[in-house]
Amino acid sequence: MMEKMIFGRYIPGDSVIHRMDPRSKLIFVFVFICIVFLANNAVTYGILAIFTLLVMLVSKVPVRFFIKGLLPILWLVIFTFFLQLFFNREGSLVFHYAFIHIYSEGIRQGVFISLRFMLLIFLTSLLTLTTTPISLTDGIEMLLAPLRKVKFPVHELALMMSISLRFIPTLMDETEKIMKAQMARGVDFSGGSIKDRVKAIIPLLIPLFVSSFKRAEELATAMEARGYQGGEGRTKYRLLVWRTADTLSICALAVVIVLLVLFRDGGIL
Amino acid sequence: MADSTNVIIDIDQVSFRYPEQETYALTNISFQVYKGEWLAIVGHNGSGKSTLARLLNGLQFPGKGTITVSGLKLSDENVWEIRRRVGMVFQNPDNQFVGTTVQDDVAFGLENHGVPREEMVKRVHDALKRVRMSDFLDREPHHLSGGQKQRVAIAGIIALKPEVIILDEATSMLDPVGRKEVLETIRQLKQEAGLTVISITHDLEEAAQAERMIVMNRGEVYREGTPRDIFQMDETLTALGLDIPFPVKMAKALKARGLDLPEIYLTDEELVDALWTLHLNK
């Protein structure tokens, strides 16, 4: 079950990007998502594409993983491309046959929007591909730390995230086990009408819920027995180190922002 | 061993009832645990042995009576200090694994007690070395076997340097190999660090290796003694819903066929030795 899922998967590796601080990577991706919308002409999209490709190269993650990440969303990319292609009525008429009218602006916008989608997906999958879920959690916890001032339960959120991450494979295994056990008793999970299928989920869902409650209780007891009293007075085993590479990556991003602002339509140049 | 200066846990007239339940889970329990001993608590299902374990760790408080752990009386103020001194390994290896990786899990207890990081790293590595799991530092729980997970749980406890370690049926979900591994690890640790071990178990072979045994029946201490004493009562034990270890059974069967085996043999070796002697003397 886990093997097919590419989203959120971590590919162990040893590149500069793998060794970067999760905080810098999170900031990087967040800012990148915002600046993608700054691009509005061929030059600026070119800059972004080259930049993304460079980052992907540095990460040394095989390209097939990016493609796999893109596949589930590919229909959306194609759909928006054609939407632009057929319904954008700006620019000069390039081609028309019967009721189909294709304008130059439609092609331009279609290509740009698809490209924007792809860049976003590549960079966000790069984040999860090169960062372990637990260091992502650590990064999020540290970045959210200022919110403690407004009584936001940062430690609790981080703990919940790390426990959920740790239990995903365990619960997956259990789901499969229950499924097989119910199949052995004659429950059909793959056939029948929609109504039958929904009904078939019940003997899977209820045992799974009940056992999750039991697990939660046992885990809470074990945590308490090991002295867990909440976030107060805890020290941290994991250490995040901000290195030169992190500062450099943020600087590179700043350079890209400057370039984008300079070269975009209606920009300074 | 049994002098009063050596007592690490003192349980005095303890009774306990779960809320919303009429019958007492434990009635008038009194016994002492001595420093550095291996004590096995056995009993049928529902005899109150797991409840007892939870009381020793302060996960439940006694309704009546007192529990004293190395001089500290169990109370709201002392409970965290007592939990630091009494480590507990539970039954299900999956449900007590808190960390996302082996080293995170071992560090969890240390983090809770605010141990500084450098000290933590040292203790985590040391504890994992002791349970022979050093090669698995970054392994995730779903890639470990049950016995390995249980050894990590033990490492998490010994990193806290407790005085007492309670095994609450810690081997009951493991296969024979995993069980042997875990018990061997505990035995070594006990020898090296002078730990006191309280093992709560169904497994009579495990109990036979203890220095002292307590048999629980319906929330009361039925009998206390060395494994040799306890297994002497074989018929009575069976009546209490317990089994007897294989060598004891074997010796009994051989005796029924006319072999002269007067004693109780707790391990295979003892029985084999006795048979050798018998054979040579013929």
Side-chain angles (χ1 to χ4, degrees):
Chain A
M1 240 176 184
M2 286 294 280
E3 301 313 309
K4 280 184 220 150
M5 272 177 30
I6 184 75
F7 182 74
R9 237 183 74 200
Y10 170 67
I11 308 296
D14 188 37
S15 68
V16 189
I17 296 188
H18 279 90
R19 272 176 274 128
M20 266 168 64
D21 192 300
R23 285 171 294 180
S24 68
K25 285 193 261 191
L26 278 163
I27 296 172
F28 188 96
V29 170
F30 184 74
V31 173
F32 187 85
I33 291 170
C34 300
I35 63 168
V36 159
F37 296 95
L38 279 178
N40 60 0
N41 59 19
V43 182
T44 44
Y45 271 108
I47 294 172
L48 278 180
I50 291 169
F51 184 61
T52 311
L53 284 178
L54 267 176
V55 176
M56 279 162 66
L57 265 178
V58 174
S59 78
K60 292 184 198 154
V61 176
V63 181
R64 64 193 158 94
F65 287 111
F66 293 101
I67 307 291
K68 261 193 199 167
L70 182 64
L71 282 179
I73 324 185
L74 199 60
W75 66 270
L76 195 70
V77 177
I78 294 170
F79 178 73
T80 41
F81 175 75
F82 281 108
L83 210 66
Q84 285 292 333
L85 197 63
F86 293 135
F87 295 103
N88 198 319
R89 292 280 148 96
E90 283 164 45
S92 55
L93 188 65
V94 180
F95 172 83
H96 90 113
Y97 175 79
F99 59 91
I100 300 173
H101 299 267
I102 291 173
Y103 292 85
S104 64
E105 195 61 18
I107 299 176
R108 214 170 86 95
Q109 285 296 332
V111 171
F112 282 172
I113 286 173
S114 321
L115 195 64
R116 186 186 289 168
F117 261 120
M118 286 203 278
L119 292 180
L120 284 177
I121 290 159
F122 284 159
L123 225 79
T124 42
S125 21
L126 190 70
L127 175 73
T128 52
L129 286 172
T130 59
T131 324
T132 52
I134 185 66
S135 49
L136 267 185
T137 315
D138 284 339
I140 292 171
E141 185 183 3
M142 299 280 254
L143 288 177
L144 290 183
L147 287 183
R148 251 182 228 139
K149 290 237 161 63
V150 291
K151 301 259 160 77
F152 186 81
V154 177
H155 163 77
E156 282 77 3
L157 187 78
L159 185 79
M160 265 159 57
M161 274 174 68
S162 79
I163 288 176
S164 324
L165 285 172
R166 173 246 168 283
F167 272 98
I168 288 172
T170 312
L171 290 178
M172 285 272 205
D173 276 355
E174 189 167 4
T175 311
E176 218 166 290
K177 224 182 272 170
I178 297 173
M179 228 166 146
K180 283 190 177 139
Q182 302 292 30
M183 273 153 82
R185 294 170 186 185
V187 176
D188 182 12
F189 284 106
S190 53
S193 64
I194 291 182
K195 200 178 147 209
D196 286 342
R197 283 195 192 200
V198 172
K199 266 191 183 160
I201 299 287
I202 294 172
L204 173 66
L205 222 51
I206 291 180
L208 198 61
F209 262 96
V210 172
S211 92
S212 299
F213 279 120
K214 215 181 134 220
R215 271 183 205 284
E217 195 177 334
E218 279 183 31
L219 184 72
T221 312
M223 282 170 69
E224 212 180 317
R226 283 166 75 181
Y228 180 73
Q229 302 177 63
E232 236 17 50
R234 275 188 110 228
T235 42
K236 278 192 76 82
Y237 180 68
R238 303 189 146 267
L239 199 65
L240 300 182
V241 201
W242 190 280
R243 294 197 184 81
T244 333
D246 299 291
T247 319
L248 284 179
S249 72
I250 301 293
C251 292
L253 195 63
V255 172
V256 172
I257 296 175
V258 171
L259 288 177
L260 287 182
V261 171
L262 286 179
F263 289 108
R264 73 193 295 258
D265 284 348
I268 294 164
L269 284 183
Chain B
M1 188 179 258
D3 75 80
S4 61
T5 53
N6 243 339
V7 173
I8 190 154
I9 297 181
D10 187 12
I11 295 161
D12 189 25
Q13 297 287 317
V14 164
S15 295
F16 178 80
R17 184 170 65 172
Y18 282 101
E20 293 161 33
Q21 256 175 23
E22 301 230 328
T23 50
Y24 276 86
L26 296 173
T27 35
N28 267 333
I29 304 267
S30 290
F31 65 86
Q32 286 163 339
V33 185
Y34 306 110
K35 219 167 259 174
E37 77 168 331
W38 184 310
L39 173 70
I41 300 178
V42 298
H44 57 87
N45 281 338
S47 62
K49 50 191 198 316
S50 285
T51 309
L52 189 58
R54 296 169 70 98
L55 284 169
L56 294 180
N57 195 271
L59 290 168
Q60 301 282 2
F61 284 77
K64 265 183 263 163
T66 54
I67 295 174
T68 318
V69 179
S70 59
L72 291 169
K73 190 170 166 283
L74 178 63
S75 66
D76 276 323
E77 301 91 72
N78 284 339
V79 68
W80 297 105
E81 185 53 34
I82 285 176
R83 282 188 194 154
R84 212 182 56 76
R85 295 181 188 207
V86 182
M88 202 153 154
V89 182
F90 295 87
Q91 182 175 22
N92 189 324
D94 247 326
N95 294 356
Q96 56 178 317
F97 206 109
V98 189
T100 23
T101 65
V102 167
Q103 51 176 336
D104 286 309
D105 190 62
V106 177
F108 179 74
L110 297 169
E111 290 180 322
N112 292 337
H113 289 101
V115 177
R117 188 169 183 278
E118 295 89 75
E119 169 79 10
M120 229 183 325
V121 174
K122 222 169 65 201
R123 286 216 218 165
V124 167
H125 286 257
D126 181 57
L128 282 171
K129 208 162 90 194
R130 277 169 182 254
V131 300
R132 302 185 308 283
M133 291 290 290
S134 296
D135 299 336
F136 298 85
L137 277 181
D138 283 312
R139 210 58 92 73
E140 287 156 0
H142 59 281
H143 290 135
L144 298 174
S145 72
Q148 287 172 332
K149 270 180 246 185
Q150 224 46 341
R151 265 152 60 200
V152 173
I154 294 169
I157 303 297
I158 58 170
L160 286 169
K161 303 196 171 146
E163 291 161 37
V164 183
I165 185 162
I166 303 177
L167 307 173
D168 186 3
E169 302 194 28
T171 58
S172 67
M173 288 178 82
L174 304 179
D175 59 9
V177 179
R179 182 173 301 181
K180 222 173 147 185
E181 273 175 8
V182 167
L183 288 177
E184 196 47 52
T185 310
I186 293 275
R187 189 163 307 124
Q188 261 178 28
L189 287 171
K190 181 181 171 289
Q191 254 166 23
E192 287 164 21
L195 274 176
T196 308
V197 179
I198 302 177
S199 90
I200 289 166
T201 182
H202 269 306
D203 182 26
L204 284 248
E205 316 267 339
E206 186 181 323
Q209 292 162 13
E211 286 152 19
R212 200 154 63 97
M213 275 176 78
I214 286 177
V215 182
M216 301 273 297
N217 184 42
R218 298 175 184 212
E220 287 174 55
V221 174
Y222 181 82
R223 183 85 184 262
E224 193 182 327
T226 62
R228 219 166 281 275
D229 292 340
I230 302 285
F231 292 123
Q232 210 106 43
M233 15 186 276
D234 61 36
E235 301 286 277
T236 335
L237 275 183
T238 331
L240 289 176
L242 291 168
D243 201 7
I244 28 183
F246 173 74
V248 180
K249 265 194 232 166
M250 186 72 194
K252 203 177 145 197
L254 288 171
K255 221 156 113 184
R257 290 178 192 208
L259 279 184
D260 179 28
L261 293 166
E263 288 188 43
I264 294 281
Y265 306 101
L266 289 177
T267 61
D268 294 353
E269 283 88 60
E270 279 178 43
L271 181 61
V272 171
D273 281 349
L275 288 173
W276 270 116
T277 327
L278 207 64
H279 183 73
L280 287 174
N281 287 347
K282 217 182 261 178

